[in-house]
Amino acid sequence: MAHVKVADELCTVSLPAALLGERWTLLLLRQAFLGTRRFEDFQSAMDISRSVLTERLGTLVEEGILRREAYKDVRTRYEYRLTEKGLDLYPVLMALRKWGDRWMAPAEGPSFDLHHRSCGGGIGVHVACDECSAELTARDVRVTPLR
Amino acid sequence: MAHVKVADELCTVSLPAALLGERWTLLLLRQAFLGTRRFEDFQSAMDISRSVLTERLGTLVEEGILRREAYKDVRTRYEYRLTEKGLDLYPVLMALRKWGDRWMAPAEGPSFDLHHRSCGGGIGVHVACDECSAELTARDVRVTPLR
DNA sequence: AGCTAGGGTTCGGAATCCGAACCCAAGGGG
DNA sequence: CCCCTTGGGTTCGGATTCCGAACCCTAGCT
């Protein structure tokens, strides 16, 4: 595996990485997947400053990952909900969690469990070949720089 | 899906998120998986300032994700290589890339392709139930807060 | 009329980031 | 033997970003 240099603007790892590798963004998404939708709830759940929260929610809306939607409580309020694009980040969060479970688990164990709603099974994340379905590690993959 | 508050220090998503959600860290790991090993090569490939690079490499070594190892070129040099813990982050990067391919792909297409070394197939990332093997989305998963 | 709650905006100081310059050890060339 | 180059860093000051605290605005409630 030789040293490869790729154009960042064209790399489909670095583009999302620039977005998600911003402080708070991953935590915000975790909260969103846990069901948090309102400004105040994000703020109290994550202990983030209000100004930074405003900004992060804004960029996620701009990016089309969250959608800001008015709804009626006792009066008009707003909620931030995952779009399809946002929901599609689930594998990223699950991969992160699986790694966290294995390598950074606190002695007391994780703070929540996830199970398949219909059969109760645990959740796995797998990297596999689209053709032969073999499970793959980094060593099984060949990188071909284009252009 | 109700609003759930969890302790960050116990959440196995937020622990890795705090680490990877630091500027440059994800890009550094991408480079590492592309085969970059030497300080100078990281620096020229990523256009990161030397001081920040030193610091990031340092925390990744501390965290046991990279290992700093001397080797003989014409004289003693050092290289940074992924440990087992680091290699195990591959699904995270692949999930990120798959999402990037779908949602942020530049018009010209991605800058490199990945294929299964032995059969040439494409690379997929799947979230699946450990019991029944069904492929899962966020909606199929139940969250159970513990403690 | 005044109080409260949700959802923000606006500061100024504190922590990070960054580029450029500097340091150091070991070959190599003259 | 002296100077130059290369890899791998460290140091420094200025430019950004982050953050907490304080403030703002709108509707409903009492």
Side-chain angles (χ1 to χ4, degrees), chain A residues 18-38:
Chain A
L19 179 66
L20 301 184
E22 219 174 357
R23 203 125 104 90
W24 298 112
T25 305
L26 281 167
L27 289 184
L28 219 75
L29 289 170
R30 177 203 60 169
Q31 260 332 113
F33 276 108
L34 283 175
T36 303
R37 292 183 181 166
R38 290 157 61 150

Side-chain angles (χ1 to χ4, degrees), chain A residues 16-68:
Chain A
L19 179 66
L20 301 184
E22 219 174 357
R23 203 125 104 90
W24 298 112
T25 305
L26 281 167
L27 289 184
L28 219 75
L29 289 170
R30 177 203 60 169
Q31 260 332 113
F33 276 108
L34 283 175
T36 303
R37 292 183 181 166
R38 290 157 61 150
F39 190 94
E40 292 291 302
D41 290 339
F42 281 109
Q43 216 255 312
S44 72
M46 305 194 325
D47 218 36
I48 184 181
S49 84
R50 302 172 73 78
S51 47
V52 176
L53 179 56
T54 301
E55 195 190 297
R56 286 295 177 279
L57 287 172
T59 58
L60 289 176
V61 168
E62 266 173 51
E63 293 291 334
I65 290 171
L66 296 176
R67 158 172 38 105
R68 184 175 189 265

Side-chain angles (χ1 to χ4, degrees), chain B residues 5 27-28 31 39 42 45 55-56 62 66-67 77-78 92 98 100 105-106 113 121 126 132 135-136 140-141 146-147:
Chain B
K5 174 163 184 168
L27 290 184
L28 219 74
Q31 262 330 114
F39 190 93
F42 280 109
E55 194 189 298
R56 285 295 177 279
E62 266 174 48
L66 296 176
R67 158 172 40 103
R77 302 288 182 205
Y78 297 95
V92 176
K98 198 182 167 197
D113 269 341
H126 307 277
C132 70
E135 187 128 9
L136 306 178
D140 303 315
V141 174
L146 302 173
R147 277 180 299 280

Side-chain angles (χ1 to χ4, degrees), chain B residues 5-70:
Chain B
K5 174 163 184 168
V6 296
D8 270 356
E9 335 66 81
L10 296 181
C11 172
T12 49
V13 173
S14 53
L15 290 165
L19 180 64
L20 302 184
E22 218 173 357
R23 202 126 106 87
W24 298 112
T25 305
L26 281 169
L27 290 184
L28 219 74
L29 289 170
R30 178 203 59 167
Q31 262 330 114
F33 276 108
L34 284 176
T36 303
R37 293 183 180 166
R38 290 158 58 153
F39 190 93
E40 293 290 301
D41 290 340
F42 280 109
Q43 217 254 313
S44 72
M46 305 196 324
D47 217 36
I48 184 181
S49 83
R50 302 171 74 78
S51 46
V52 176
L53 178 56
T54 301
E55 194 189 298
R56 285 295 177 279
L57 287 172
T59 57
L60 288 176
V61 168
E62 266 174 48
E63 292 291 333
I65 289 170
L66 296 176
R67 158 172 40 103
R68 185 177 190 267
E69 212 165 72

